[in-house]
Amino acid sequence: MSELLRMESLSVTYRTEEGPLPAVRDVDLVVDRGEVVGVAGESGCGKSTLASTVLRLQPASATVTGTVLVDGEDVLTMRWADLRALRWAGASIVFQGALHSLNAVRRVGQQIAEPIRLHEPSVSDAEVDRRVGELLEEVGLPVSRARAYPHQLSGGQRQRVMIAMALACRPALIIADEPTTALDVMVQAQVLDVLSALVRERGVGMLLISHDLSVLADMSDRIAVMYGGRVVEQGRADQLFTDPLHPYTTALGASFPRVGDPAARYAPAGLAGDPPDPRELPPGCSFHPRCPLASEECTRAEPVLELKRPDRSVACVKVPVTGGAR
């Protein structure tokens, strides 16, 4: 598989009235063509900031360091003309709030057509209309919905329109930031089926951001778990939640009740406490105040994300290196 996205030593800090807020800290991540890489973690762990950095969408208050390579080109040092060409055509984003992302006073067909007209000005009106119809059908909507306004569509239909817009210029990389958060379970399953088919049939790469572990486990090839702005565990999806190594990954998996298990129903194993304030991170491992395995050793220095098992990186001093990882 060819590499589409590479993040190296990526850090994002926001300037606020209360002082610097380090939202993302020293993240390394790779997405290959035809691969779905999921990012998990509680609210505030830096997932959405990570997603927006791929196309340099941070506000002016953000300071970004490190490297973000999309198809070999560094987004952070790219000229504005090249960045505009990359957006939509090279990589695109599906945001979580479709109703807020769509223009309320324009028909959805016009909004799907807009990136095509901007990036491919030589395409005829008839060809644009044909491609809009194909995109709608590809995401499971009738062509007639092109004339609808966003308020005339259901939540699931609006989300499908957002996916159609993201695919309009045939990008190789899609960033999906909580694409099913506001949807009911049945519609969520339909939207996820659409995304899965797109990766499988088009061979695109996808960075999937979600707090829903079941979605990530079902969709992803690999998963990165974030806490306190850092990746604390990374590995294959089929291993990460069946055999978690980092105590935080274990707690995330245990927080979901198991259907048919009375013990889980009446005594859900949630995680006590809240994630740390990024402005006031505890010394050492940022998870140690909530960690059941924490000891004095965990307060001395922040653990390095390192290979602990084949294909499994973990940032925890309590997890030994075994299984020929080195």
Side-chain angles (χ1 to χ4, degrees):
M1 291 187 292
S2 60
E3 186 176 287
L4 286 176
L5 172 66
R6 172 175 289 274
M7 298 178 174
E8 293 182 344
S9 303
L10 179 66
S11 296
V12 182
T13 301
Y14 296 111
R15 296 189 304 276
T16 70
E17 293 181 357
E18 292 79 18
L21 191 156
V24 171
R25 301 184 294 130
D26 200 28
V27 168
D28 295 331
L29 197 66
V30 173
V31 179
D32 291 327
R33 191 178 301 275
E35 179 185 44
V36 179
V37 175
V39 181
E42 294 170 280
S43 296
C45 70
K47 303 188 302 296
S48 291
T49 293
L50 190 74
S52 65
T53 307
V54 176
L55 290 178
R56 215 161 89 193
L57 296 175
Q58 291 79 28
S61 62
T63 299
V64 184
T65 60
T67 303
V68 179
L69 300 177
V70 176
D71 206 13
E73 298 292 329
D74 192 348
V75 173
L76 303 183
T77 60
M78 194 176 285
R79 296 182 307 165
W80 274 109
D82 295 330
L83 183 60
R84 291 182 64 188
L86 175 69
R87 292 171 176 171
W88 293 105
S92 59
I93 293 184
V94 179
F95 294 103
Q96 60 177 303
L99 185 59
H100 304 295
S101 300
L102 294 170
N103 190 326
V105 297
R106 297 186 67 201
R107 300 181 192 274
V108 296
Q110 295 173 318
Q111 299 184 60
I112 297 172
E114 183 177 11
I116 301 175
R117 297 186 192 281
L118 288 173
H119 286 270
E120 303 175 43
S122 62
V123 176
S124 67
D125 290 344
E127 176 65 12
V128 171
D129 291 341
R130 185 190 66 80
R131 282 174 57 177
V132 169
E134 287 181 347
L135 287 163
L136 287 171
E137 290 179 339
E138 192 169 4
V139 298
L141 291 176
V143 177
S144 61
R145 303 312 282 164
R147 294 189 55 79
Y149 290 96
H151 73 273
Q152 295 174 314
L153 302 176
S154 69
Q157 289 175 327
R158 287 193 293 265
Q159 202 64 40
R160 289 168 189 250
V161 169
M162 289 289 296
I163 296 171
M165 290 175 64
L167 295 171
C169 295
R170 305 185 180 99
L173 175 67
I174 295 175
I175 300 96
D177 186 8
E178 303 275 11
T180 60
T181 296
L183 306 179
D184 62 64
V185 175
M186 295 300 291
V187 176
Q188 173 178 281
Q190 294 168 7
V191 171
L192 293 175
D193 284 344
V194 170
L195 290 172
S196 296
L198 293 172
V199 174
R200 185 173 60 252
E201 295 167 8
R202 289 197 176 200
V204 302
M206 182 180 296
L207 183 66
L208 177 61
I209 312 296
S210 181
H211 65 274
D212 191 328
L213 303 187
S214 61
V215 168
L216 292 176
D218 185 54
M219 287 278 296
S220 305
D221 298 296
R222 291 185 294 113
I223 295 176
V225 178
M226 293 188 69
Y227 187 84
R230 296 184 69 221
V231 174
V232 296
E233 183 167 0
Q234 188 173 171
R236 297 205 320 262
D238 60 352
Q239 294 180 341
L240 208 67
F241 293 119
T242 57
D243 181 29
L245 297 180
H246 196 283
Y248 180 60
T249 309
T250 302
L252 283 181
S255 65
F256 274 69
R258 296 175 295 280
V259 176
D261 185 347
R265 178 182 178 184
Y266 293 109
L271 180 60
D274 297 308
D277 185 334
R279 302 180 192 88
E280 299 178 357
L281 292 171
C285 174
S286 56
F287 183 62
H288 86 259
R290 306 171 74 190
C291 181
L293 304 180
S295 64
E296 194 274 334
E297 178 187 15
C298 301
T299 66
R300 296 174 190 162
E302 194 159 45
V304 176
L305 183 70
E306 59 181 335
L307 205 63
K308 301 283 190 173
R309 307 279 193 280
D311 300 321
R312 186 85 70 89
S313 298
V314 187
C316 180
V317 296
K318 299 295 184 178
V319 180
V321 178
T322 61
R326 288 179 178 171

